[in-house]
Amino acid sequence: MVSQTEENYLKALFHLTYEIGQKTEAGTNELAEFLEVKPASVNDMLKKLKEKDLVSYEKYGKITLTKKGKDIAVEIVRKHRLWETFLYKKMDFTWDEVHEVAEQLEHIKSQKLVKQLEIFLDFPEIDPHGDPIPNEKGEIKKLARISLSEVNVGNVCRLVAVKDGSVAFLQYVAKLGLDLNSKIKVISRLEFDGSIEIEVNNQRYTVSQKFGNNLFVV
Amino acid sequence: MVSQTEENYLKALFHLTYEIGQKTEAGTNELAEFLEVKPASVNDMLKKLKEKDLVSYEKYGKITLTKKGKDIAVEIVRKHRLWETFLYKKMDFTWDEVHEVAEQLEHIKSQKLVKQLEIFLDFPEIDPHGDPIPNEKGEIKKLARISLSEVNVGNVCRLVAVKDGSVAFLQYVAKLGLDLNSKIKVISRLEFDGSIEIEVNNQRYTVSQKFGNNLFVV
DNA sequence: TATAAAAGTTAGGCAAGACTAACAAAATAA
DNA sequence: TTATTTTGTTAGTCTTGCCTAACTTTTATA
């Protein structure tokens, strides 16, 4: 049996490696910071996860998910994103509200429920934040997307995902009138700080480079 | 904050008092047996619940839910039954499958989700087992119903609820071709052991008194 | 009413998951 | 290459929720 806490560690490892970085290993402090616990706690847990053959790591070495650990992590991600989609499409939740509740729902144990949920939602491929939903076999469709900061001046693009999922960030995104599939035109880019002038629904805004890094477009 | 375990204790107390018995108090051993833990554990928990003003009880005395405790218990029951209805009506779960998963879902913390779920299900009044679903204010509609054992010979009644929710029992009920709203005719009753002969869908069966006690009809 | 049975309580312990404080190893910089 | 900073580890402690074993109170029965 994998506890809820263990599931969260596996999910965090998955995010830090395969999702955020394009690496396959992570460090103790990095994981501790991400999970908002102390490194000592991570250490304790790593011993347990290693014992269960969910991660592989040696003292003072890097942490890697095993096949078994990765499979569980992907299944949690799958559930999380299906539930987010459910909340957004069927329960009238907004972009910024879905995450917190999905964090709870992702731990519900029922294979049948996940399967039925997927059918009910008509096999969605991306969640409300634009992230890909793994299928039942754990396969994740790679999305060809770039950050808004990389778009050339003059080009128009379509918002497909956001990187940072914090409520404050999502609310700011919404305030600009941006939603999934919104068209964004890049008007100009300031060389000295990388900030970008964009046009959304005929309104012009200037946003920071950091903000631009957090929006994925095609 | 009320932990998941605390919620389960409150719910159990509610069942043992207001629901199963027509009393307002329960004992330590009774609660322990219901929750499948040892009396000592119940004792520990009672101290905590008393501290939080969720139950009132004195050493060697009976346990009662406070207003605050009862409100929380009813809210959990409400969530449980709404989720059961959701699983049954939208997720293609059977009668006997819903309970286990609803036990998990009832602890999800989101007022908005409960509200939306209720709207989505079009304000159901009873769950798939025929039990009443408390409304947002915590009011529970009393159902005028009697057990099958109390029905007079020759009368026809309609199944509205089951008392025992165990999987084995529910599967037996289903095997007889019984479902919510099934018509049941009481053909005869054996005096010596109270067993009842019934007719369902033109099929005759003989069932025990105990079985009859577990079916509620109108 | 004395006594046995049932019900309830206490003390002490254990596992999970977190923490602090002190320490050890590795990586980086002088 | 030594010194310093960063990263990772260990030991000991805390809380929650459970346990067993021993004890006390209450209730039921002879």
Side-chain angles (χ1 to χ4, degrees), chain A residues 66-116:
Chain A
T66 61
K67 168 83 169 61
K68 203 170 147 192
K70 190 184 170 190
D71 285 351
I72 294 173
V74 170
E75 181 60 22
I76 304 294
V77 169
R78 170 171 153 82
K79 289 199 272 183
H80 182 97
R81 293 183 181 163
L82 280 172
W83 279 117
E84 282 197 341
T85 307
F86 171 76
L87 295 172
Y88 186 73
K89 290 213 180 144
K90 307 287 182 180
M91 294 287 112
D92 209 31
F93 273 57
T94 58
W95 233 21
D96 52 297
E97 289 173 331
V98 296
H99 184 74
E100 185 191 333
V101 182
E103 286 284 303
Q104 301 177 57
L105 288 162
E106 73 190 6
H107 299 291
I108 300 296
K109 282 175 176 54
S110 166
Q111 289 238 194
K112 175 161 183 174
L113 180 51
V114 181
K115 242 182 239 183
Q116 289 297 129

Side-chain angles (χ1 to χ4, degrees), chain A residues 3 5 9 37-38 40-41 48 60:
Chain A
S3 76
T5 312
Y9 273 85
V37 297
K38 301 294 167 192
S41 310
K48 221 184 313 166
Y60 293 106

Side-chain angles (χ1 to χ4, degrees), chain A residues 2 24 51 72 78 81 95 99 150 177 185 193 197 207:
Chain A
V2 183
T24 57
E51 194 54 46
I72 294 173
R78 170 171 153 82
R81 293 183 181 163
W95 233 21
H99 184 74
E150 298 169 82
K185 181 169 184 182
D193 70 350
E197 191 183 4
V207 297

Side-chain angles (χ1 to χ4, degrees), chain B:
Chain B
M1 197 68 282
V2 184
S3 76
Q4 202 152 311
T5 311
E6 287 167 344
E7 286 185 351
N8 283 332
Y9 272 85
L10 296 175
K11 189 178 57 145
L13 274 169
F14 182 76
H15 279 301
L16 288 177
T17 54
Y18 300 94
E19 289 217 313
I20 293 179
Q22 262 73 277
K23 44 183 186 170
T24 57
E25 44 179 41
T28 306
N29 284 4
E30 190 186 0
L31 186 51
E33 196 188 354
F34 186 83
L35 287 168
E36 296 181 288
V37 297
K38 300 293 164 192
S41 310
V42 169
N43 224 281
D44 288 347
M45 182 56 90
L46 285 178
K47 284 175 191 157
K48 222 184 314 168
L49 294 176
K50 189 189 173 175
E51 194 53 45
K52 292 189 177 181
D53 192 33
L54 298 172
V55 306
S56 68
Y57 103 114
E58 299 304 328
K59 237 188 183 182
Y60 294 105
K62 290 292 179 187
I63 315 158
T64 339
L65 282 169
T66 61
K67 167 84 169 62
K68 205 170 145 194
K70 190 182 168 190
D71 285 351
I72 293 174
V74 171
E75 180 61 23
I76 304 294
V77 169
R78 170 171 153 81
K79 288 199 274 183
H80 182 98
R81 293 182 180 164
L82 280 172
W83 279 116
E84 283 197 340
T85 307
F86 171 76
L87 294 172
Y88 187 73
K89 291 213 179 141
K90 307 287 182 180
M91 294 288 112
D92 208 31
F93 273 57
T94 58
W95 232 19
D96 52 296
E97 289 173 331
V98 295
H99 184 75
E100 184 191 334
V101 181
E103 285 285 302
Q104 302 176 56
L105 287 162
E106 72 190 5
H107 300 290
I108 300 296
K109 284 176 173 54
S110 167
Q111 291 239 190
K112 175 161 185 176
L113 180 51
V114 181
K115 239 182 243 183
Q116 289 298 128
L117 200 56
E118 192 175 29
I119 294 169
F120 188 67
L121 299 169
D122 202 20
F123 296 88
E125 297 200 335
I126 55 164
D127 74 10
H129 302 305
D131 293 313
I133 300 175
N135 69 15
E136 207 182 341
K137 290 180 195 144
E139 296 157 351
I140 304 175
K141 208 174 245 185
K142 270 269 152 48
L143 304 174
R145 61 193 197 186
I146 56 174
S147 81
L148 181 62
S149 304
E150 298 169 84
V151 176
N152 290 327
V153 168
N155 284 2
V156 174
C157 54
R158 185 168 54 86
L159 182 62
V160 295
V162 293
K163 192 176 190 177
D164 176 343
S166 75
V167 172
F169 174 72
L170 291 173
Q171 285 179 345
Y172 180 53
V173 171
K175 204 172 156 195
L176 296 186
L178 283 170
D179 203 343
L180 226 50
N181 293 318
S182 288
K183 294 272 185 298
I184 305 172
K185 181 170 184 180
V186 176
I187 306 298
S188 68
R189 174 173 286 116
L190 287 179
E191 277 314 318
F192 89 98
D193 69 349
S195 63
I196 320 157
E197 191 184 1
I198 57 173
E199 189 176 293
V200 183
N201 302 323
N202 296 315
Q203 295 266 329
R204 291 203 174 181
Y205 306 100
T206 303
V207 297
S208 72
Q209 177 164 39
K210 190 169 176 211
F211 182 83
N213 289 338
N214 278 290
L215 294 182
F216 287 116
V217 298
V218 291

